[in-house]
Amino acid sequence: MSGIGPPEPGEGTRAWESRREEDTPAPLAARYARRRRIAAALAAAAVLLSGGGYLYATRPQQPTAHARRPHPQVPYPAQVVDLTYLDARPAPAGAPPHSFSFAVLVSVASGPPVTVTRVIQPYAGLSVTTDPPAPFRIRVDSARKITITMHVTECGKAPRNAGLPFLDVTLRNTRAIQEQSFIPGPHYAQDLSHALEVACSNRNR
């Protein structure tokens, strides 16, 4: 071979110094920065997904058609029972001396049947029985006549002039058991005072 100077490079040959800029590897710091951006984007996506799942889990739940149907509430027995005083009655045959009777009407306005389990009064000198004897049941939209017989056991503890006497009635239905105090009214107070006066003074009515 003859000639002057270094040989010329062959066709298609590229020197290291003449490589294109995009073929040059990126600096190490740039590669780390790119990785950090990718990791941050992935973390943000994970937060959004988890937040969406939390919102879905804590959103107000829509009740089903069955749950939306209202269930009828059974009333308390004291809310639906009424006691009305009727009149004084002769004591039943076989009652002990110093006994007297009254008639009351007990009714149930709504709800399931109500059972009357006990009828008492507040005075220590009197005992009480009922006809029919307790317990007895009263159906809804119906009324039952009850005869209450009182027996004077001790006149000193029985009121001679009862102002607003009441009857304590224990009621039970499928919801609750309650004791309700009924004030039968002024006619009951008058008849009770008269009956006690007769029973404790040995006078005939």
Side-chain angles (χ1 to χ4, degrees):
M1 178 180 296
S2 63
I4 300 172
E8 293 292 330
E11 187 177 352
T13 303
R14 290 186 298 176
W16 286 102
E17 293 78 11
S18 64
R19 286 187 304 177
R20 291 180 302 176
E21 184 178 355
E22 60 269 21
D23 294 333
T24 304
L28 185 60
R31 290 200 300 270
Y32 285 159
R34 182 171 179 269
R35 290 176 183 175
R36 284 197 298 271
R37 288 196 298 271
I38 294 173
L42 292 175
V47 169
L48 289 175
L49 288 175
S50 62
Y54 174 79
L55 291 175
Y56 179 84
T58 58
R59 78 191 193 286
Q61 299 295 318
Q62 295 296 326
T64 63
H66 176 73
R68 286 195 296 265
R69 287 200 297 268
H71 295 283
Q73 182 67 59
V74 174
Y76 286 101
Q79 296 175 330
V80 296
V81 171
D82 185 44
L83 184 146
T84 304
Y85 178 68
L86 296 179
D87 53 22
R89 298 290 174 91
H98 312 298
S99 297
F100 46 89
S101 298
F102 307 102
V104 297
L105 195 67
V106 182
S107 60
V108 177
S110 63
V114 174
T115 299
V116 176
T117 62
R118 187 174 66 161
V119 179
I120 60 175
Q121 53 76 47
Y123 304 114
L126 298 174
S127 64
V128 176
T129 58
T130 63
D131 183 22
F136 52 86
R137 174 180 277 197
I138 304 171
R139 296 188 303 273
V140 64
D141 292 331
S142 66
R144 191 164 186 178
K145 185 183 294 185
I146 310 299
T147 300
I148 298 174
T149 298
M150 296 187 182
H151 170 60
V152 181
T153 58
E154 189 174 348
C155 284
K157 295 181 179 180
R160 292 298 186 94
N161 188 15
L164 285 175
F166 57 89
L167 296 170
D168 285 330
V169 182
T170 304
L171 307 167
R172 183 185 73 223
N173 68 0
T174 55
R175 179 170 185 178
I177 299 176
Q178 293 181 296
E179 186 174 283
Q180 178 74 3
S181 294
F182 292 96
I183 300 177
H187 293 299
Y188 170 69
Q190 294 169 6
D191 289 346
L192 176 61
S193 296
H194 177 70
L196 287 171
E197 181 183 357
V198 171
C200 291
S201 65
N202 293 322
R203 290 192 294 109
N204 292 326
R205 278 179 276 184

